Amino acid sequence: MFNGIGASPGIAMGKILLKKEAKIEIVKKDVKDPIAEVHALHDARVKSKDEILKLYEHTLETIGKKEAQIFEAHSMIVEDIEIFNQIESKIKDEKVNAEWALKEVTDMFIDMFANMDDEYMKERASDIKDVTNRIIRNLLGIEDIDLSNLKEPAIIVAEDLTPSDTASMDKKNVLGFVTAVGGRTAHSAIMARSLEIPAVVGTSDILSKVNNGDYMVFDGDEGIIYLNPSQDITDRYAEKLEKNKIFKNTLQKLIGKESITLDGKKVELAANIGTVNDLEGVLRNDAQGIGLFRTEFLYMDRTNLPSEEEQFEVYKKVAQTMKEKPVVIRTLDIGGDKDLSYMDLPKEMNPFLGYRAIRLCLDQVDIFKTQLRALLKASSYGNIKIMFPMISCMEELKEAKCILESVKNDLKNENIVFNENIEVGMMIEVPAAAIISDMLAKEVDFFSIGTNDLIQYTVAVDRGNQKLSYIYNQFNPAVLRLIQLVIDNGHKEGIWVGMCGEVAGDPEMIPILAGMGLDEFSMSPTSILKARYILKNVDTQKIAELLDELLWISTASEVQTYIKKKISSIL
């Protein structure tokens, strides 16, 4: 048995088809005619662009608009003048071969994005790598392996799969895929979920253990893989496969239904998004609002700050699309692992503890005011709420609110219409904020708990540190007590409390959070219907009765065991 990361739910059973990439070694060569190399680069670039356009159209037709946007991003990379000017200069100045110059320049961008802690930004690295490999193959005349035309059903096992590989898969014959690298937020994983192809990723030693034609059974929910399993295991998973088909139909019937618990408590199930391209998935999965719009992506992948008008159009689009449903927009959360090349942010020893998020905005007020103006102007087109990130003390919150008031006054003086009663909230992602949440609650309309950072700062472990990942744990008793404290303090002051971190979509944690009194759960759009199903089977009163015991358990592993034992019996 092997363990990996369950990237796309479902059971896959079948023979293995190994997809091994021919290793392309790029070496530096001196060339006599650099202009000819530039022409070759241009030809390969044009051919690659044509291929990407076909993939875009195929994906748009067979999967959906959101997934096709990935190839719009690829098209933008292949058209990026800044990147290709650098490649051409390298070819001409150093008189080197095109593929080497291409790889040298793009590797620089790939490294920059790959070293960011944000999973979304890491995918920019995958995009550039995918496009680079395509252009290199076209430069060298290398044919790619075609996954769109398999002769028989198979499970694909590979080192990695690009979005292009995944988008072109023959859904009829690709039973699922397993890769040695990757994570749940990789484009290939996202596409697999859209295509409803089961997938497990991050199985580092899988390639050395399997052969073409071996039989495999894997569970895309649990990340468990069986190679040439016994008949008992095969029979067990065949039964589970059949149950999954029935459950999928059950979830679809929840579209249009309220998110209400067994004992009649209504909660909001909202979605986390990064761009307007995510709106299609939000609507398709019947989210009741947007609990977190990460505006930093408006500022990244570009060479200058976005203008007020540019931001306004984006916020307006989101607000209008969601109509009367709430849209919580987080103000700029840059810094930490999210760098902006054009802002010359300081290099720090501990960037997550440094100049980032609200701290940066309170220091560079012009940037902050531009965003607030755009947000307020867009507020008249829908139900927008403003949320400040990484507030760690009362002074920061009051200063942010003061700047917001000055922007409101400016707009009034200019006779610009906006929602003067717009709700203002803050993220609770620093233990200091959680501890004084009773006081902070008097100053805002809502809290949203950002568990990704709250866990990191509470247990003092970088969330990307694999070696210490056993400490970074949502079941840590300190984390659970802080969450309960924030919810209680918010409710005492009459404000609603949401959660927009990964924990909000964790099936094991959803009943606990509902029992704690959480009002809004914001998560990946694809998790919403399953969360609604769980909540419909949860009695929050019974869960609340268990919390007195649960919150006194001293270790994370015991907490998780308790939840599995007690909560599963209630569901």
Side-chain angles (χ1 to χ4, degrees), residues 409-422:
N409 288 333
D410 290 345
L411 292 179
K412 284 179 193 171
N413 292 335
E414 296 169 39
N415 294 318
I416 295 175
V417 177
F418 65 95
N419 176 12
E420 295 188 28
N421 298 313
I422 189 168

Side-chain angles (χ1 to χ4, degrees), residues 461-516:
V461 167
D462 186 323
R463 64 191 196 220
N465 190 322
Q466 292 294 322
K467 195 169 184 178
L468 297 176
S469 61
Y470 67 98
I471 303 176
Y472 183 95
N473 192 319
Q474 67 267 37
F475 300 110
N476 184 299
V479 173
L480 294 178
R481 287 188 181 195
L482 284 179
I483 292 171
Q484 182 67 80
L485 178 68
V486 172
I487 295 171
D488 289 346
N489 283 337
H491 288 174
K492 281 176 190 169
E493 293 299 329
I495 67 170
W496 61 269
V497 181
M499 179 178 287
C500 55
E502 291 291 323
V503 172
D506 181 338
E508 285 185 316
M509 283 296 295
I510 287 171
I512 300 299
L513 296 170
M516 286 179 168

Side-chain angles (χ1 to χ4, degrees), residues 123 279 395 453 500:
E123 282 310 303
L279 288 172
E395 292 90 334
D453 274 340
C500 55

Side-chain angles (χ1 to χ4, degrees), residues 102-376:
L102 172 70
K103 194 164 187 311
E104 280 285 296
V105 172
T106 54
D107 275 355
M108 182 180 66
F109 288 97
I110 290 168
D111 288 344
M112 182 181 78
F113 285 112
N115 287 325
M116 293 181 180
D117 191 51
D118 187 289
E119 292 299 323
Y120 191 96
M121 296 314 298
K122 278 182 187 292
E123 282 310 303
R124 303 282 73 73
S126 299
D127 289 334
I128 298 171
K129 191 174 178 183
D130 194 351
V131 172
T132 300
N133 289 341
R134 180 180 298 282
I135 299 174
I136 288 176
R137 283 198 303 271
N138 285 326
L139 265 168
L140 301 177
I142 297 171
E143 291 291 327
D144 196 13
I145 298 171
D146 185 6
L147 291 178
S148 66
N149 190 26
L150 299 185
K151 293 179 181 175
E152 59 182 355
I155 292 173
I156 309 301
V157 179
E159 173 70 20
D160 196 8
L161 291 172
T162 65
S164 309
D165 290 327
T166 316
S168 62
M169 277 181 180
D170 173 5
K171 191 177 171 183
K172 186 174 68 180
N173 279 331
V174 176
L175 302 172
F177 68 77
V178 174
T179 62
V181 299
R184 271 190 57 80
T185 57
H187 281 331
S188 55
I190 293 168
M191 281 231 178
R193 291 195 286 274
S194 298
L195 284 164
E196 299 182 352
I197 293 176
V200 175
V201 300
T203 54
S204 55
D205 56 349
I206 191 75
L207 284 174
S208 62
K209 307 291 184 184
V210 301
N211 296 299
N212 260 327
D214 280 347
Y215 194 81
M216 178 179 276
V217 172
F218 77 77
D219 184 336
D221 292 275
E222 303 288 337
I224 298 171
I225 300 166
Y226 293 95
L227 183 62
N228 298 317
S230 66
Q231 191 60 48
D232 284 350
I233 290 173
T234 304
D235 290 346
R236 176 152 46 96
Y237 276 89
E239 186 180 343
K240 193 171 179 180
L241 184 61
E242 189 57 32
K243 285 182 178 175
N244 280 357
K245 289 179 184 172
I246 297 170
F247 184 57
K248 194 179 292 181
N249 290 333
T250 301
L251 292 185
Q252 288 301 307
K253 291 175 184 172
L254 295 179
I255 290 177
K257 306 287 185 186
E258 287 187 310
S259 303
I260 187 165
T261 65
L262 204 57
D263 54 321
K265 183 185 176 187
K266 284 184 183 178
V267 296
E268 295 291 319
L269 288 180
N272 296 339
I273 67 169
T275 73
V276 292
N277 297 334
D278 297 329
L279 288 172
E280 185 185 341
V282 172
L283 299 176
R284 189 172 64 241
N285 289 285
D286 200 28
Q288 293 163 291
I290 291 172
L292 172 64
F293 179 17
R294 301 180 175 96
T295 58
E296 54 270 25
F297 300 120
L298 275 170
Y299 294 73
M300 306 179 86
D301 267 342
R302 55 188 298 143
T303 56
N304 54 1
L305 287 165
S307 67
E308 177 185 319
E309 187 64 21
E310 195 177 341
Q311 292 188 62
F312 163 69
E313 289 297 334
V314 172
Y315 304 147
K316 177 183 166 187
K317 167 81 174 173
V318 175
Q320 285 181 322
T321 302
M322 295 305 293
K323 299 178 180 173
E324 76 281 357
K325 293 178 180 176
V327 176
V328 178
I329 300 184
R330 182 174 71 185
T331 57
L332 181 60
D333 184 10
I334 210 71
D337 62 323
K338 289 172 273 191
D339 194 10
L340 297 180
S341 59
Y342 55 86
M343 276 189 66
D344 194 26
L345 296 174
K347 302 298 176 193
E348 300 176 303
M349 290 289 288
N350 295 301
F352 279 103
L353 303 180
Y355 186 67
R356 55 170 296 204
I358 196 70
R359 300 169 182 184
L360 183 150
C361 288
L362 296 180
D363 183 53
Q364 304 204 37
V365 178
D366 287 348
I367 294 174
F368 194 32
K369 281 189 170 181
T370 300
Q371 182 175 37
L372 292 175
R373 282 180 63 90
L375 281 169
L376 288 170

